[in-house]
Amino acid sequence: MKRNKYIWLLWVGVIIIAGILIASMVNSYLIEKHKNEIDLNHTVIKKDLQWVKENAYFEMDMNVKEKEYELYIVGEGERKYQQVEDSELGKKDDTIVTGDFSFFLWTEEYGHEAAKQELELPNPMTFNLSQKNIGTFLVNQQNIAAVFQGEEANEVMAYFYTIHNGELVTLTDYGMRIFSKDIKNIQQNYIQTLRKKDKEIMEFDTWMLEQNNGKLLKVDATSVDNKEIIKNWLDEEEFYYPYKNLSVTSSLMNLAEQGMLIGAQYPIGTNIKEIKKINSNYMEEEYNQKYNQLNFPEVTYYYDKSTELVTSISIPGVRLKESVQSIQDTIGKPEDYVTKEDGYVATYSAGNYKLIIQLDLSQRIKTIRLVK
């Protein structure tokens, strides 16, 4: 009797174990089936690299933290024609292409194929092949790409992209309306755009790349009605507007005592060759018989011609968010205050250096300069 009981229990155990194994196998099958369905839904479309190159209207080299990519814009159902007369799209005989387009990305590990990128693009897109349609900019050690749509002033839409985790991503939720296709790259850390605010006023917008969420973050917006400044920005490739990115704190004096001026990358005593080597977008002028000056839009370095060492640094007042009163509230009253025909000069001692603030007649800050 006991023997039959044990046999019965053994069969029950076998049935339970078999049930568990079957359930496990079914579960594994369903998981794998679901995984395959997901993979099918997210299948990366690849095409022969040579075909992509031959059919691409635009190609951009993209570097992301020393990894190299190639980005191609390929037409898919586009129409191509010649302008028969001047219009808002361009001049007579310009080549226009309009319709659906796709991005294809290639990097060395892809071999002989390029991968289609799953992005929602403006539809349709229209390009005048005789005009500027794309641009790339280096920001925080990686390239961002701009694709332009529209030709009229104040009607240009810019769409920004970069590569994140091996895929092309958008940097703005919508297109950015700008006045001109000219976009300025600032110190490889920022880009600057121009837009029309109203009939008389333009606005310079300065952007940085937010690494965490992969978006462009506006760091400054400055309105300008000075037509000469706007013309310089549009006409001179290397010129950008010194944006208001500096706040005055007690560190202003602490840095000055070390020979460093806020808003400058290099201290007094730096060899000018080092600055030229790293920052190539400068203008060099003779200051006087002994000194030369190296001009950037946001900072000027004065250096001794014989030693080639920086002896003085200045920044334009437009970069400061504070007034002269707020500066006095932070670092105190100046030791010397001189009235001149075109304004005022306030001087502070900072160890072995002097901090000189030049004001206009309305007591707006024109420049801040540090001298040894």
Side-chain angles (χ1 to χ4, degrees):
M1 184 70 181
K2 286 184 178 180
R3 184 171 177 272
N4 291 337
K5 182 179 180 180
Y6 289 140
I7 292 173
W8 180 81
L9 290 173
L10 180 63
W11 274 109
V12 170
V14 169
I15 291 170
I16 291 172
I17 292 172
I20 292 172
L21 289 173
I22 291 170
S24 177
M25 291 172 64
V26 170
N27 189 49
S28 296
Y29 169 77
L30 291 174
I31 290 173
E32 188 65 28
K33 182 175 182 290
H34 181 62
K35 180 181 177 183
N36 290 336
E37 287 175 352
I38 292 175
D39 289 342
L40 285 172
N41 290 335
H42 292 81
T43 299
V44 176
I45 298 174
K46 294 184 177 180
K47 290 195 175 183
D48 180 74
L49 178 61
Q50 189 60 37
W51 180 91
V52 170
K53 287 185 174 183
E54 290 174 356
N55 288 274
Y57 285 95
F58 308 103
E59 175 184 348
M60 290 173 275
D61 293 325
M62 303 279 286
N63 293 323
V64 179
K65 296 180 180 177
E66 299 182 354
K67 187 170 183 178
E68 297 180 352
Y69 294 85
E70 292 175 7
L71 180 62
Y72 300 91
I73 301 179
V74 178
E76 294 193 342
E78 79 281 12
R79 182 169 66 94
K80 191 175 180 181
Y81 63 91
Q82 306 293 126
Q83 284 269 97
V84 295
E85 60 183 15
D86 292 352
S87 75
E88 69 277 0
L89 293 177
K91 297 179 180 180
K92 181 182 177 181
D93 296 329
D94 283 355
T95 301
I96 308 297
V97 58
T98 184
D100 296 334
F101 292 84
S102 295
F103 285 118
F104 281 83
L105 192 65
W106 179 87
T107 189
E108 188 175 5
E109 64 195 54
Y110 292 0
H112 297 294
E113 293 181 313
K116 184 177 180 179
Q117 303 301 290
E118 297 299 324
L119 286 175
E120 289 189 14
L121 302 177
N123 185 11
M125 296 182 83
T126 301
F127 300 101
N128 182 329
L129 300 185
S130 303
Q131 298 180 358
K132 181 179 180 179
N133 294 288
I134 60 173
T136 56
F137 311 92
L138 185 62
V139 181
N140 292 345
Q141 298 183 323
Q142 70 183 71
N143 281 121
I144 64 175
V147 177
F148 303 114
Q149 291 288 284
E151 310 302 332
E152 300 248 340
N154 200 31
E155 291 297 330
V156 177
M157 297 295 290
Y159 298 85
F160 292 94
Y161 307 91
T162 193
I163 297 167
H164 183 68
N165 292 333
E167 295 182 349
L168 194 70
V169 296
T170 57
L171 289 175
T172 53
D173 293 331
Y174 307 99
M176 184 188 298
R177 188 177 297 279
I178 57 178
F179 182 78
S180 164
K181 293 178 181 178
D182 296 306
I183 295 176
K184 305 303 174 78
N185 221 151
I186 304 177
Q187 296 177 349
Q188 300 182 352
N189 291 316
Y190 305 92
I191 61 171
Q192 188 172 84
T193 58
L194 179 66
R195 63 187 172 92
K196 193 168 187 177
K197 192 172 183 180
D198 59 34
K199 188 175 181 181
E200 298 296 331
I201 299 176
M202 304 292 284
E203 187 153 284
F204 293 107
D205 294 318
T206 306
W207 309 82
M208 66 175 289
L209 180 61
E210 179 64 50
Q211 297 275 2
N212 294 331
N213 61 16
K215 297 293 182 181
L216 284 177
L217 176 66
K218 187 184 293 188
V219 295
D220 181 65
T222 303
S223 298
V224 176
D225 60 2
N226 187 313
K227 290 182 172 54
E228 184 178 352
I229 290 175
I230 295 166
K231 185 178 185 301
N232 288 341
W233 195 93
L234 292 169
D235 293 345
E236 298 178 21
E237 183 178 349
E238 307 301 338
F239 178 82
Y240 55 86
Y241 191 74
Y243 49 100
K244 297 178 185 292
N245 66 331
L246 298 178
S247 295
V248 174
T249 65
S250 57
S251 64
L252 171 65
M253 293 303 293
N254 295 332
L255 288 171
E257 290 173 355
Q258 302 171 45
M260 189 74 180
L261 183 61
I262 60 167
Q265 292 179 282
Y266 305 94
I268 287 175
T270 303
N271 191 298
I272 203 67
K273 289 180 180 177
E274 180 182 345
I275 301 175
K276 290 180 178 180
K277 181 179 179 181
I278 299 175
N279 301 275
S280 59
N281 295 332
Y282 60 82
M283 292 187 298
E284 191 167 9
E285 298 177 10
E286 184 173 338
Y287 182 61
N288 57 36
Q289 290 184 342
K290 187 177 180 181
Y291 298 100
N292 266 18
Q293 64 186 64
L294 206 64
N295 299 322
F296 297 90
E298 80 284 0
V299 62
T300 298
Y301 297 96
Y302 304 85
Y303 68 94
D304 189 298
K305 292 179 184 178
S306 59
T307 65
E308 295 191 315
L309 299 180
V310 173
T311 59
S312 177
I313 309 168
S314 72
I315 60 171
V318 71
R319 294 185 63 186
L320 295 163
K321 296 178 179 178
E322 290 87 355
S323 65
V324 66
Q325 183 59 53
S326 62
I327 292 178
Q328 289 188 20
D329 293 341
T330 302
I331 63 176
K333 292 185 178 181
E335 297 175 12
D336 190 28
Y337 193 82
V338 178
T339 301
K340 294 193 172 184
E341 290 184 5
D342 59 347
Y344 311 90
V345 177
T347 303
Y348 294 84
S349 291
N352 296 323
Y353 304 90
K354 287 190 180 296
L355 192 67
I356 302 171
I357 302 177
Q358 186 177 0
L359 314 168
D360 63 17
L361 292 172
S362 301
Q363 292 209 340
R364 289 177 299 190
I365 301 170
K366 293 174 67 176
T367 61
I368 294 184
R369 185 168 178 174
L370 185 67
V371 299
K372 191 168 184 179

